[in-house]
Each structure stands twice: as structure tokens, then as C-alpha cells.
């Protein structure tokens, strides 16, 4: 079928998957209103085939495929993928939608697996592309004591590992955290979380399983649970991301779905390959969020009547420089990209990590500046129920008029509150620090991606050391 | 009666006050569960007379008075007030509780009013102290177009003003925003929001009225509405602050309650005097919040097993330096304080504004560091309903064990999430930027409190300009 | 002759130019040892035709031309120019050398003049290129009271202006500051310093004159005067930049050398066009300086034996990220460039200003980090005369050995001291803040180069304002 | 004699001391013009007894003593000492003068030595005080490979150690770096540089010797050598600090001058005790430098005609907040001080390290801001020889007039250049990072001086961990 509609995507989620939400087993994710919201959010990336076919659809041999599954083989491919991700995130009001993460994992598998594993990865990729499946990626293990490697944990299950095998399958046990989209994806791709030594052999495993595989349970986080009024929460009332603790309780995985079967030396390269693509995704999907902050900051400065003050102009410029530095370095990551193993194009790791670092490092300050421009009404203003009440609204209209009408001002304030101050804003702030690798991880990758030899040689020359 | 119990305080709130919450008129704030939570929070400052009589109770002529109403007349008085406010905020889990703000306003009125107004202020102060009343302070006008002074606004009501008068009273119209505690105070003190010129005469007004005064309506903000599970929200399930749009729709104020009656030249001094005390309050009531961040950061670093990493130690030290710089400068504001007009002790304005600026300027970065140490579980972890389910809890206990038990870790993560990432955290972040004066206001006061003459003279000497 | 040797360049400087240095008229800049050092420095850009002909030489119709005068007409042209500038600055130990600035001015004249002026500019360009002349650029007027436009200054000469004219010439009076290379260039190009109104007509003037033109006097700054030992000052003993107050005391300029003759509406565009090219030059010529800092920091950390400490790795990574962000954004300025007027390629103004801002904004912190890694010996260590003394050197060799030999360590320390702590380092720091436009100028250009319309529209959509 | 005049101080320096400067043995430090400048600078602290007897002189039993040697035993004593140091540094144009450092060492010896060593320290202190001697302090060893403790260095002399002993004396070998005032002090006090283990026993030594002791050679750093014009270098033409590599080549020390004789467990406490006092000194002696920056920034903003621009006001306020935060925390270090061992008052270590950290951390940014306000003339302006030339000066007066006369502007620019951009400015910048302990040392002491127990307990309570 090659390309699916969002309706087909939704229908595909009705299976025996075991999902626990707010302490209860959920029978059907389409029937639970909050999980349904997450499904509707992710459905946007299927809708994109209709709304932005120029970016979202590949035509090959007369057949249509999702461009998310277009393996990048050139600077142009990666640049186009960047645009696709940005457009998708724009539809998603500044958040990742769904297919980005699975395709990142597939490119990593195509590039960083070897031998039989690489063949299986290729076959799996072809199936995902031709069926237009939605994949979640479970990478981060629960990790236990972070000072210890997997095989030395008190409980061996604190990293996911192979506990049994037979001719047709391996059996795995353990748990992954921060699994985005798990409950509304078709399948889950498991990747190793880090480099591993020979004693961690059983932990060096990568595979994919359908979400309804026996033994697999998704404990979806209730963060930011509850219904949202659309006046008060213009973004989070329409968009939701879900994350789960993803428990593999002796899950059998057929051998044709195992891409890395206890090969510790490939665990690190595969983990890093994914992270390269995923950070490239990140610096593109964050752009609409940054644009929203820049735009909202300009709007509220205007509506509050302060847009001419020196410190306001300074803050607006600083927000522009922040957003455009992330955009610029992200663009550079594509422009400087080079073919990696098996011809899969690799974003420039230095540029992509600098872009991600610039994003993460500057986010809290940007939020502080936007809050500063917006004012205290972010947390003391009226709500949707007030606005809806015909006796109350005129009072609000009278008293919240400033350099623009009260309604515009309140709606922009609510947008800013949603993006920065309320639960959803906190979610964004934590994501900025931790998603797709922490600040410390990005710093480490910057140091690793940079070869200081030339700079050292130049400094030696200037110091007249090698005269 | 001099000192009231928290039970007496609660009982006093049952009157005809007109409160609108979430679009509905609330008959009794003690019956509305969320407003009740705010009442319980504020009741803590009455309880303090029991739990910390050393700080919270003055004995005078055999009678007990609330130490919140102890007019500071020495360094020791202000230092003790600082300790009282810090202890009260510690009980309030790092937030202001209630009486702080009203007493700040009273000290400002005692110091900065003149003539008949000063006499009325003194009489009012005596009544408040002897009846141990709880006061809210309504200072910030809705302001309309901020580029224009009060009398030039399109709608004259965008700053509160006198619209009529007779022998016994004046009548006022307008609205104040960000009025904390309005719905759970006994009375509301109105202060001017800024310096005013002679054409703004009708706007230069200060008075106090009981909350149930006819014509007064409180539109309480629904920010962070909803019930909270105590496992998931350890702080915000127990504490709530409320803020209102406070509308004066032709409210009659008896003349004995009017402290400033159209005297524009005193509007600025009175506004600033309040802000001096209120920023001193702020830098003291924020200390438990900062201690909570420092303590939680140490705890989670230990529980995550990362406390020995170099970057972790760096972040912990930076948090300590941040919290203790605020504490130190706040302490200095008392130690450097001097008697102001009418003998009311005045916190050193330079130190108090530097302390407040240090707090506000560093808050977002401190939050980012704590989030960094805590990890992504802040927004992807399990909730109270998961924890309560006997089938789910063992899974969580198994997989969230790290360098300490899962329960400790999840509880500390929830504390951090509550303080930094969820609605309540966003509230704290916006408060850091805007409450008790914005960053820009603090910067302006630093510049104004500092006399550069000596530094300029010294530089001239060094430049040999006056040889 | 098309391309000149550095010997020809030196010979060309022997004319009747009026140069004042350290209070004395200098007869021949080649005979004054310190000015001679500046000449030798600038001669490097002529030597480059020998050492890097791939970058520095254009061959056209069998004739060779300096590639500095290659008018950019494509992304590739600008990218190659970036490489040329970087290579030239590498030879110059991280400083601008000479021809960069004149060619920047020529491109601006080609792009932003009109009519007859444009024809003269083209003719002048052809002559400069075919004779391989070295140009200085005098743009910044002394300015007087910065709050006033040119025509309202107390002294009309505080901006350079036309005071007389006849059929063949105009006569100008005024003074320019910060004129780099003036005393060792062949000619001086004068550009307007800012946008001008119709009343500033006489000030809207651009032309070129030979340095020995009557009425022109160069007061060269003595900053960092004095001879330098090459052990102690490895860079500044070999390289010098000179800057002058350039006084035009009724200088007659032949009409064919006048590119802008009292056309105020073109003053701003011409000034900005120059700045675009010149900031592009800046972000490329600064790269070797940044590489030197990064390389020296790695070296000294190793030699001091501290390269494994956490805080040291953090500082090194931060230096890498800083240098590479400037490099990346500079590269992007070429990659995003577009044809400007008359087909002259225009670096992307947003990227070029962000690159320059990133450079300038981060420079002081980078210096502080390098100083931190190097240690106090930067200012307490031994000097060249100590090192040269055979009785003293063994003591130094014994006691300054650390994780590497004393000589390597002292030489690297001296490199760092030269680049950061001594006069030359101070020069670099002031340049970082002010050269090619101040921090504030870059911020202004960032705000101007960015069109917020899309971001605002997106924010409005998210706020549901245009539903 | 108790208190000496500066003339007596100078006379005392004429002895057989072995000083090497710029590769040459110096016979008499009073005859070498540059070292003489350092002597004159230090003589200021003797002159202070005349100019500020209120601060600089103690009268006891009718006799006068230098107040630098007043052992602090109360908050008032430390506060007065802070004022004395600030006044002395004001005379020294923002630099340390001389007696501060020796008295810091004496207080540390009085507090942190034990038994016989303590007695000798007390006797030594009495002699220094009654003879009003000037002491240098040699603490920092050359250290070799910093990853290794003293006894494991390849060359055992890389830390100073005992190599022999007899009944009357011990003999020491090794070298100390960064010894300020060594060549113009009467005696040198040697302190251990760090905590030591039992195998470092021979290195745990403290003593004092006259500067002319045989075997002692001072290799004075030539940093910033050369004469200075007083127009161009208003500060550094009048003030000089000297630092030496201080080599002990089998120096015999009489036993009565040995305060710590191979007692490794006291090495750390003694080192830290000195650092406490010395950082307290630092945060006081830096205040005039900070005042000079604040004052010069105000002056130049005014003279340049930009003092009303928003960004200028922002920068001035930031400079004020920086200087006053250092002053405030330094003051707090005295106000919070407590009696240490043997009743010697101990500055609050948390406050003193926060003050020092605030100073060091903010210095480079403050310099950048002052440079920004001053403009490029800092490094392109005219010099003293230009100003002295009657033909040149009128040109400078004409063209450097701005919102104030050219002379004022040039003198203030030269002051700023001297403090921030020239050699002397680089010296200040390196000192800010390294003197009296590096940034990393201050951070470590902040972490050590802070007991997190209360904050952790509070966080546990809020997290409901101990319910």
C-alpha cells in the first residue's frame, strides 16, 4: 500500500497492546481521551502527505512512499529532510510528531549494522517503508546505578538483555524509559543505549517488535494529564506527546527482527549513529517552537505597548539571534554532511552537536526573556471559563485592553503561558535539557567530533616550537 | 483580641465578598476546594504564632501581637523580620504566605504619608495590629497603554481613580491586577502603582477597604487549577496562592480609610517605599525555595549515582553560590538599614535591589541546572495513580531503583518537577521575573540607589584630571 | 604589471607622505623600525601570491591578478574569498594583513554607487586591480557629539565634508579615525560613516586619493610602541598593525576619483555595503586567532599536566564550540549569499552579523578561559633576557619543567600572554569589541536583517488569532 | 622603633640581596629605575601612617604600631582592617601595596600553628610588629607535574623541602613562584602550598628569612618592563608590582625562625588559613579598582555623548551591581566573622569565597563593558609624545573633542586603556583569574564552606521522605 492515510494509521493502533495509563489498563488508545489526543497529534505526520506532498511524498516507480523513509544519500537529501521535519513540527505546533524518530533509527541501522544484521535491517526498512508503518524507538535503559556498566548492576534487568534463545528467536528482559510514541506506534525499535564492553555482550542487542507483542507493557507517564480548555491552552489542548516506561518481560523476538545480536563492539557505533540523525531531527523540529517564541515575543511587546523600549529591542534581538543561530548551524549540518557507511549520508557531527548545544544551552534564557516581555499575567490572568461567561467577558475586555485589544493580548499571553509556564512549558524545558541527549552529551560529542591537531600545530608554529 | 488563631482567621472570611472563580460566582471561599487550599496555605502564618512564637509573637503590656506587625526601628528589628519571613516561607514550602505583604504596605504608609493621611494610616495600623487582620495589597493597575500616563489613557478607568466624593467618602473606579491573597484576606489596601504628575491627581490615591465592600469584585485567576495528587505534586497539592483582577466599580471609601487623597507628589514615594519593604520580604521568603532547590539537587545527584562527576559538582557549587549570594545580600540589606522617615527602619535600597536582582537574574539558570541533574524522568515518570496500584508499583520499584531506592528517587523527582517543571514551577519562574518588581525595575533601582560621585571623583584623580 | 611582489609594494611606499609617529614627522616609513614592522606585516599579503597561488592569484587572459580583487559573483567566489582571507590571516598570526579591507571597499563601491559615480568606481577598481595597489579605507569620522548629525556639530569639520570645488576637483576637510594601514598603503579610499539626511549633503562623499596627496596627514597611534623580544613576544615581535588619525586639511580630490559627490541618500547604503563585506572579512580573518587560542589552550593544559581534569575538559570544549560556531556561521554567510546590485555577490547579512556577534560576544570569555588554563606565569614568568643568560637559563629550565619541558611551556605561555595579556592582547580585545562595527552595531544589523513577519504569523496561528 | 617612615623602609632595602632582573644581577633595587618604581609603590603603605593615621596607626601603651599588624579579634577589627586595606589600595590606584600580604601570613601562623611552632610564630610576629617590617610571602611552589604529590615529582626540588639540618638550623631547597614584593620586602615568609600526606613530610615546612639570606635568589619577572609616559599610562607610570621566581638553593634557616618543621597534618590548615585572610584582603583591595572602572565608565559615557542610550545605562548599571556585590559580600565576610583558634578572628569563609568568586567571575565581562563604552580609541589614540608636541596637540584638541573637551576624553581613555587594554590591564585580568587562588579554588572552597545538611533535610521534608 506504500502510503497510508491518517485514518489507516489510527485503525492500525487497535490491537491487543498492553498500555497502562494513570494506574489503569487501557483497552483502546483511541477511546482514552488523553491518549487519543496523542494519537491525533501523531496523525498529523500522515496528514502531511496530503497537505505538503512536495515535502512528504516520494514517488518511485509510480508508487508513493512517505518521504520520512527516504534514505539520505546527498546534501540535498538531508536538506530536504530538514525541511520536511520542520514543516511537520510546524503542523505539530513546535513538537516532534512521530515518524521522525523511527526513520532516524532506520538510517542508523542501515549505516551501522553489519553482515546478517545489516541484511535484516535492510529487509525491515523495506517493509516499514512499503507499509508506511509508524515506529517508536526505545533506546534509554533505566540504567540503575550510573557509575556501573550493565553487567555489574545489582539487578541484571536494569539494562535490557537477552535472557534466552532458541532456533527461531531470542528472549529479552528489561525496561526502557522515555519511549516517545510507544502507545501510538505500530512497532517499537530497540537500540542499545551506549558503548559496551565484552562483558556486556548480552546487552548489546537491537531489534524491532510490534507493540502488541506478548510480554511488552507500556506504562505511559501521566505528566500533564487532564483536559485542557482551548482558550487557556491553545497548544496543549490540541497536541500531546506520550512517553512510557517500556517493560520487556521475557519478550520473544523472532530472529529475522534482530539487527544486533550480542555484538558489543557495534553497540556504541549504532547508538551514536542514531543520535546523529536524531539530533539533526531535533534541531529541525525545534525551529517552529523557536519561531513561535520569537513571533509571540514580538506580538506581546507590541500589544503591551513596550516595543520601543531599549531593553525590549535588546531582548527581541537576542531571541532572533538565538533562533537563527540554531537554524543556521542546523542548516550547516546538512550542507557539510558526507556519505557515511553504506552510502547513508551523515550530518556533520560537529555542526549538529553545536546546533543542539546552542539550542539547549540557550533555551532557558530565551524562555526567561519571553516571560519578561509578557508580564505577570501569564500566571494571574483569566481562564477559558471566565472568557466564556457573558457577564465576565466584558470586564476582561475593558480591563485587559492595552496597546491592542484584550482578546488578542489574552490569547497571545495564553500561547506564551502554554509554551513556557504551564505543564507543557515545563515539558519543553526538560526536553531542551535532556531529549536527544543531555547538554553534557552534546558537549562530549563536540569535543569528540573536533580534531584539535591542526589548531595545536598552528599554535606550536606561532609559539616557535618547531622552528 | 490582638492575636488570632487560624480558626478565627478562616471564620472571618465568611462574608458577602464577591469572588468569581473559573467563570462562576463563589458563595463561600471555604467551600470551594481550590480556594480553600489557598486559605489553608495562608492560615499557616496564623499557625506560626503557635509553632514559632519566638519569631511570630510580640508581647507588649501583657498582650500578644503578631510580630508581622512589629514596626522595624533598628537593624535588629529588620533582621528579626527577615527571620520571621524566612520561617513563614519555610512553612509555606518556599512561597509567601499572607501577612508579609500587608505589613509591608503598612510600614510604607507609616513612613511615606504625611499630615492627616499619616494620622489615618497610624490609626489604621493600630486597628489592623490589635485585631490581627489579614490584608491583601492591590497596587498594580491594569495600565492600558504603557507608553501613556494615567490621565491620557483612552479609557480613564485603566488606572484606579477618584470619580466622586462627598463629606464622608470618596468613590473610586478602576481595576488592579496581580492582587495576591485578595479572596482570602480581610481587607484590601490600595496603593498607587507609580510616580504621578499633577494631571494625574485623581489617580494619586491610597486607602483600605474590607473585601466585602459593595462594588468590589475579585476575578481570581484559574492558573494551575485542578486537584493534585500528593505523590505526584508534593508541594502544589498542599499550597496554593491566588491572584485576582480586583475591580472597583464605584466603590465608596469612608474618608477615615483614605491615606492619600489626590496628592500626586506623594504617589511615587509611597509606591517606592512599599517596594523597598516588599523586595526585602521577597529576598527572605525566596530563601526556603532556594534551599529546596539546593537540597533537592544534592539529593537527586546522590540518588541518580552521579554526585562524583566533575560537572555535577560544578553545578551543585553554582547552586550553592546562587542561593547564598541572595541570602548574603538580603542579610546585608538589614545590616546596612537606616532609620527612614518617622523612624521606620528602611532596608538598604542598594543591597535589597541587588539581592532581588541576583535572585531574579539567576533563577532560570538555577532551574535549568536542577533539571539537568534530575533527568528526563521529571516529565516521563509515573504518577500517583500508578504508584497507588499494587500491580504497577512493584514494576516501578524494580525499574526506578538507581543509586538509591525507587521511592526516594521518584519522590525527589516529583518535588523537583513540582518546583520547576509543572504549573507550579512555571508560576515560580514567572514570579521570579515579575513579582515584587521586574528585572528592569530592579536594575533601575540599583542605578538610582547608587551615587556614582565618589567613583567618578576617584577615576578623575587616577586620570589626573584634577591635578 | 597586474601582480606585484612584496618588494615592489615596499618600494611604492617611498613618497612624500606626511606621517607623524610618536610626536615626530617620519621621513620614510621603511626606515622607522616600528612602522617598518607594520610594512613587513602587510607585505605578507603580497608574499601570499608566491606561497598560496591557488588562493591568492587569478589568471585571466594569460595575465595574473591578485585574487583579493576578484569580484565575487557566486557562492563559490565568496567561499574562496573566505579561504583566501583565512589563509592570509594565518600568515599574519591571526590578524588582518592589508588588501582585505581595500577590496571590501571596492566591492561596496561597485555594488552601491550609481550613475557616473559607478562608472568612476569601476574605472578605479580596474586601475587598482591592474596595478595591484594596496588601499587603506578611512570610514569612521571623529564624530564629535554623537547625539548630533554631521551638519549640527559645533565644529563642521568633525565629519569630513566638501568645502570647495572647481571644474576638476572637490576640496574636502575633516578627519577620520581608526584608519588601519594608512601609512603603509598606496592610496586611501574614503567612505561615508553613516546614513545621512538632506542637510548633511556636503558630508555624503566618497573618493580615493594617493597617500602622499597634499593636505593629508597621518597621525599614527603609538599604541604598543617599542621593540619586542621574540622569546617573550612571539607574535607581536613579528607583526604590527598601525592605525591613524587621518586628517584632510583642504585636500583637493580630482573629480574622476570622486565616487559619491554629495548624494546623501546613497551614503547609508554605501556604508552598509562596505560593512557587509568587511564583517565577512572579519569573521574569516579572526579564525586563525581563534584556532591559536584553541590550540594553545590544548597545549598548555597538556604541558601543565591538567588536561584530564573535568573543568579543564569543559573549558576546552567551550573554546572549541566558540571557535567553530564563528567558523560555521561565517561559512554559512557565504553559502547563503545572493547576488546583490550589479551582480556583486552579497554575504548573507543575518549570518554574517550573527557570526561577527558570536565572535565579539564570546571573545572576552574565551580569553578568560585560556588565561585560566595557562596560570599566573602569564604575568610573573621570566623574559627573553633571562632566557638568553646562560647562568639564568638552567635555573628556569629546572624550575619551570612541569608535565613537559620548561622551554615548551614558557614559549606557549608567552604565546598566550602575547595574544591575551600584553598590549597586543589588549589590542585584540578592543578590536573584538569595536573593529568592523561594535557589538551594538551587530545587534542592530541582526534585528534589521531579520524579517519577523513569518514568525509573527506563525505565533498568531498558534494563538488562534486568525481562525 | 615601632612605626617606620617610608624613608626608613627604603633604606632597609639596601643590603646584599641577590636580585636578577631582565637577565642581570641588580646591585641595588633603589638604583634600578623599574624596581625603584615598585619600591615607591610599596612605600605608600608606610606613608599611610601619615595620611590616614585613623586607619593605619594603632597606639598602644603610648607607642605607635602599624595597624596592618593589628591581630583581628572581633567583627569590628576585621571591618576596620577591610577599610584599611581599601584605603591603602586606593592610594595604590587599585592594587595591593605591600604589608597586606605579610600580615595575612602572620595571622594564619598565629591561628594555625601549634606547640613550639606557635610560640616561635608569636615571637616572630612581635618582632615584625615592633620593627614595622615589610614581609613578602612565598607560598606557591613551582609544582612540576600537577597530577603528582611533592614526593613523587621527578625532581624532588619542584616543591620546597628540607634537605639537611643541624642543631641550630634546617636547610631548604626549592623554588616558589608568583612571590609578590620579594625584592622590596625586608623578609620572606614561606608557607606550604597545599595539604600534604605523611610521605610529603619534608615538604611541610614554614619559616621566615631576611631577603639577603645566602642561597636565596630572586628572579624578578620583566612583565610590563619599560618606562611609561604619564599622559599615556596614568596608572602604570606610577605604580608597579613585582613578582619573582624565588629560588632557595640550600638556604639555612635558624630554628627559631621555623614555624612548621615537617608536620604534614598542619600544612593544609596553615595554607587554608592564609588563603582565608588573603582572599579577605583581595576582596577589599580590589574595590578601588572596581570603583575606578565604574567611575571611568560613567565619565567616558558622558564625554562620548552616549550616556542616555538604553544599552549604555544597562552597562553602567551592570558595572555598579558587579562592584557593589563584591563590596557587599566582602563586608558580609567581616560581619559574619567568628573567632578562630587562639582567638584570631576568621572571616566567614563562605562569604569571603563568594565575594572573591564574584569578583573573579565577573571581571572579564566588566572589562569588556568598559571597553565597549570607551570605543576603539583605546588602541588607536595618540600618545604622550604627540600630546607634548605643540604642532600636534592643536590637531588632537580639534578632532578629539566630543561631548567634552579632548583632553579630558583622552586622559580618561588612557586611564581605561591602562586598566584594561595595555600590559597593566592584562596583568589585572590574569590576577583576577589567578591571584589569591584561582576560580576553581574559590569554587572548591565555596562547596567546602557550605554545609548542605539543612537544605537536604528541608528538601526531604518537602518531598515527604521522612513522614
Amino acid at each position: 500500500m506504500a502510503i497510508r492515510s491518517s485514518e489507516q494509521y489510527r485503525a492500525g493502533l487497535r490491537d491487543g497492546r498492553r498500555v497502562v495509563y494513570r494506574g489503569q489498563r487501557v483497552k483502546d488508545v483511541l477511546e482514552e481521551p488523553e491518549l487519543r489526543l496523542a494519537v491525533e497529534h501523531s496523525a498529523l505526520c500522515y496528514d502531511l502527505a496530503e497537505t505538503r506532498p512536495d515535502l512528504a511524498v516520494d514517488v518511485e516507480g509510480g508508487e508513493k512512499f512517505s518521504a520520512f523513509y527516504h534514505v539520505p544519500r546527498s546534501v540535498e537529501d538531508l536538506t530536504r529532510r530538514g525541511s520536511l521535519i520542520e514543516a511537520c513540527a510546524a503542523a505539530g505546533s513546535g513538537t516532534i510528531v512521530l515518524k521522525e524518530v523511527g526513520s532516524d533509527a532506520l538510517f542508523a541501522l542501515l549505516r551501522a549494522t553489519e553482515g546478517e544484521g545489516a541484511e535484516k535491517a535492510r529487509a525491515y526498512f523495506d517493509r516499514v517503508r512499503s507499509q508506511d508503518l509508524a515506529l517508536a524507538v526505545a533506546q534509554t535503559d533505566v540504567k540503575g546505578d550510573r557509575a556501573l556498566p550493565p553487567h555489574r548492576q545489582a539487578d541484571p534487568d536494569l539494562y535490557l538483555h537477552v535472557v534466552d534463545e532458541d532456533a527461531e528467536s531470542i528472549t529479552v528482559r528489561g525496561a526502557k524509559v522515555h519511549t516517545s510514541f510507544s502507545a501510538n506506534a505500530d512497532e517499537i525499535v530497540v537500540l542499545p543505549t551506549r558503548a559496551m564492553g565484552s562483558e556486556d555482550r548480552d546487552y548489546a542487542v537491537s531489534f524491532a517488535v510490534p507493540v502488541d507483542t506478548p510480554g511488552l507493557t507500556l506504562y505511559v507517564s501521566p505528566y500533564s494529564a487532564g483536559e485542557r480548555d482551548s482558550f487557556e491552552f491553545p497548544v496543549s489542548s490540541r497536541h500531546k506527546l506520550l512517553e512510557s516506561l517500556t517493560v520487556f518481560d521475557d519478550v520473544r523476538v523472532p530472529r529475522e527482527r534482530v539487527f544486533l545480536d550480542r555484538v558489543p563492539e557495534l553497540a556504541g557505533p549504532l547508538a551514536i549513529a542514531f543520535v546523529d540523525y536524531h539530533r539533526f531531527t531535533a534541531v529541525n523540529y525545534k525551529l517552529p517552537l523557536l519561531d513561535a517564541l520569537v513571533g509571540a515575543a514580538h506580538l506581546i511587546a507590541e500589544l503591551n505597548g513596550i516595543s520601543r523600549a531599549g531593553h525590549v529591542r535588546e531582548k527581541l534581538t537576542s531571541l532572533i539571534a538565538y533562533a537563527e543561530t540554531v537554524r543556521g548551524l542546523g542548516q550547516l549540518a546538512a550542507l557539510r554532511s558526507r556519505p557515511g557507511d553504506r552510502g547513508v549520508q551523515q550530518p556533520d557531527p560537529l555542526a549538529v552537536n553545536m546546533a543542539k548545544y546552542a539550542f539547549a544551552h540557550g533555551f532557558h534564557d530565551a524562555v526567561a526573556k519571553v516571560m519578561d516581555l509578557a508580564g505577570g499575567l501569564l500566571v494571574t490572568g483569566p481562564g477559558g471559563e471566565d472568557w466564556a461567561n457573558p457577564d465576565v467577558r466584558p470586564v476582561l475586555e475593558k480591563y485587559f485592553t492595552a496597546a491592542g485589544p484584550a482578546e488578542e493580548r489574552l490569547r497571545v499571553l495564553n500561547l506564551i503561558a502554554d509554551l513556557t509556564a504551564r505543564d507543557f512549558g515545563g515539558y519543553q524545558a526538560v526536553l531542551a535539557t535532556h531529549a536527544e541527549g543531555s547538554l553534557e552529551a552534546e558537549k562530549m560529542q563536540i569535543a569528540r567530533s573536533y580534531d584539535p591537531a591542526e589548531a595545536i600545530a598552528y599554535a606550536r608554529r606561532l609559539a616557535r616550537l618547531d622552528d
Side-chain angles (χ1 to χ4, degrees), chain A residues 105-141:
Chain A
L106 292 173
F107 302 157
L109 285 165
L110 291 178
R111 206 180 91 204
T113 54
E114 294 185 357
E116 212 180 319
E119 282 167 42
K120 292 178 190 172
R122 183 76 220 178
Y124 182 69
F125 170 77
D126 289 341
R127 197 167 67 74
V128 168
R129 180 172 178 250
S130 69
Q131 298 184 12
D132 199 16
L133 297 179
L135 310 180
V137 175
Q139 181 180 39
T140 311
D141 290 278

Side-chain angles (χ1 to χ4, degrees), chain A residues 10 21 33-48 86-98 100 181 184 221-243 285 288-289 292 414-415 418-419 422-425 427-428 431:
Chain A
R10 282 184 201 90
Y21 186 59
E34 297 177 19
L35 299 185
R36 173 74 187 215
L37 190 61
V39 171
E40 291 309 319
H41 172 73
S42 288
L44 291 169
C45 74
Y46 282 93
D47 291 336
L48 210 66
E86 185 176 350
C88 190
S93 295
T95 54
I96 193 167
V97 174
L98 169 57
E100 302 89 329
F181 311 117
N184 57 327
S221 173
Y223 184 86
S224 196
E227 272 182 83
R228 301 259 180 284
D229 176 90
S230 74
F231 175 84
E232 224 169 312
F233 301 86
V235 171
S236 64
S237 62
R238 289 185 287 175
H239 299 281
K240 184 183 177 63
L241 279 88
L242 61 77
E243 260 103 3
Y285 89 69
L289 174 63
N414 280 330
L415 171 62
D418 215 4
L419 293 179
R422 304 185 201 266
D423 284 351
F424 189 74
Y427 178 79
Q428 294 285 8
L431 252 61

Side-chain angles (χ1 to χ4, degrees), chain A residues 12 57 71 93 98 119 130-131 146 151 165 177 185 187 204 217 219 227 285 318 374 416 455 467:
Chain A
V57 178
V71 181
S93 295
L98 169 57
E119 282 167 42
S130 69
Q131 298 184 12
R146 283 150 205 226
H151 72 279
E165 66 181 312
V177 278
E187 305 214 347
T217 311
Y219 297 86
E227 272 182 83
Y285 89 69
S318 154
I416 293 173
D467 282 4

Side-chain angles (χ1 to χ4, degrees), chain A residues 87-337:
Chain A
C88 190
S93 295
T95 54
I96 193 167
V97 174
L98 169 57
K99 285 183 181 176
E100 302 89 329
V101 59
S103 47
D104 288 336
L106 292 173
F107 302 157
L109 285 165
L110 291 178
R111 206 180 91 204
T113 54
E114 294 185 357
E116 212 180 319
E119 282 167 42
K120 292 178 190 172
R122 183 76 220 178
Y124 182 69
F125 170 77
D126 289 341
R127 197 167 67 74
V128 168
R129 180 172 178 250
S130 69
Q131 298 184 12
D132 199 16
L133 297 179
L135 310 180
V137 175
Q139 181 180 39
T140 311
D141 290 278
V142 292
K143 287 183 183 165
D145 187 335
R146 283 150 205 226
L148 303 174
H151 72 279
R152 292 193 46 215
Q153 297 288 333
D155 177 346
D157 303 342
L158 291 174
Y159 284 76
L160 184 141
H161 60 135
V162 178
V163 291
D164 201 0
E165 66 181 312
D166 60 23
E168 284 83 41
S169 70
I170 61 170
T171 299
V172 298
R173 192 187 304 146
K176 299 276 187 174
V177 278
H178 315 319
T179 319
S180 301
F181 311 117
S182 52
N184 57 327
D186 298 305
E187 305 214 347
I188 294 183
V189 177
V190 169
L191 295 175
T193 201
R194 47 173 280 177
M196 289 180 187
S198 58
E199 296 184 285
D200 294 321
R201 191 173 168 275
D202 289 346
Y203 296 87
V205 63
S206 170
F207 58 85
V209 288
V211 177
D212 64 351
T213 301
L216 182 60
T217 311
L218 313 175
Y219 297 86
V220 174
S221 173
Y223 184 86
S224 196
E227 272 182 83
R228 301 259 180 284
D229 176 90
S230 74
F231 175 84
E232 224 169 312
F233 301 86
V235 171
S236 64
S237 62
R238 289 185 287 175
H239 299 281
K240 184 183 177 63
L241 279 88
L242 61 77
E243 260 103 3
S244 67
L245 173 74
T246 308
V247 176
F248 294 79
D249 195 6
D250 292 353
V251 169
R252 275 187 81 219
V253 185
R255 286 195 178 270
E256 70 271 16
R257 286 175 156 278
V258 181
F259 315 125
L260 192 74
D261 186 9
R262 290 163 286 184
V263 191
E265 61 274 21
L266 289 184
L270 180 53
I272 291 285
F274 170 64
V275 157
D276 272 0
Y277 291 111
H278 201 37
R279 287 187 194 152
F280 179 75
T281 286
V283 297
N284 283 289
Y285 89 69
K286 294 297 188 189
L287 297 176
L289 174 63
L290 299 185
D291 288 345
L293 290 177
V294 170
H298 277 79
L299 277 171
I300 200 64
E302 202 63 56
L303 290 163
N304 282 345
I306 56 172
S307 61
R308 279 208 204 79
H311 74 92
V312 171
R313 303 207 65 75
E314 168 96 19
K315 281 163 195 157
L316 292 175
T317 300
S318 154
L319 288 168
I320 292 167
Y322 166 58
E324 293 302 311
T325 295
V326 176
R327 176 171 271 120
L329 293 173
Q331 191 179 346
L332 202 65
L335 291 171
R336 281 183 182 174
S337 67

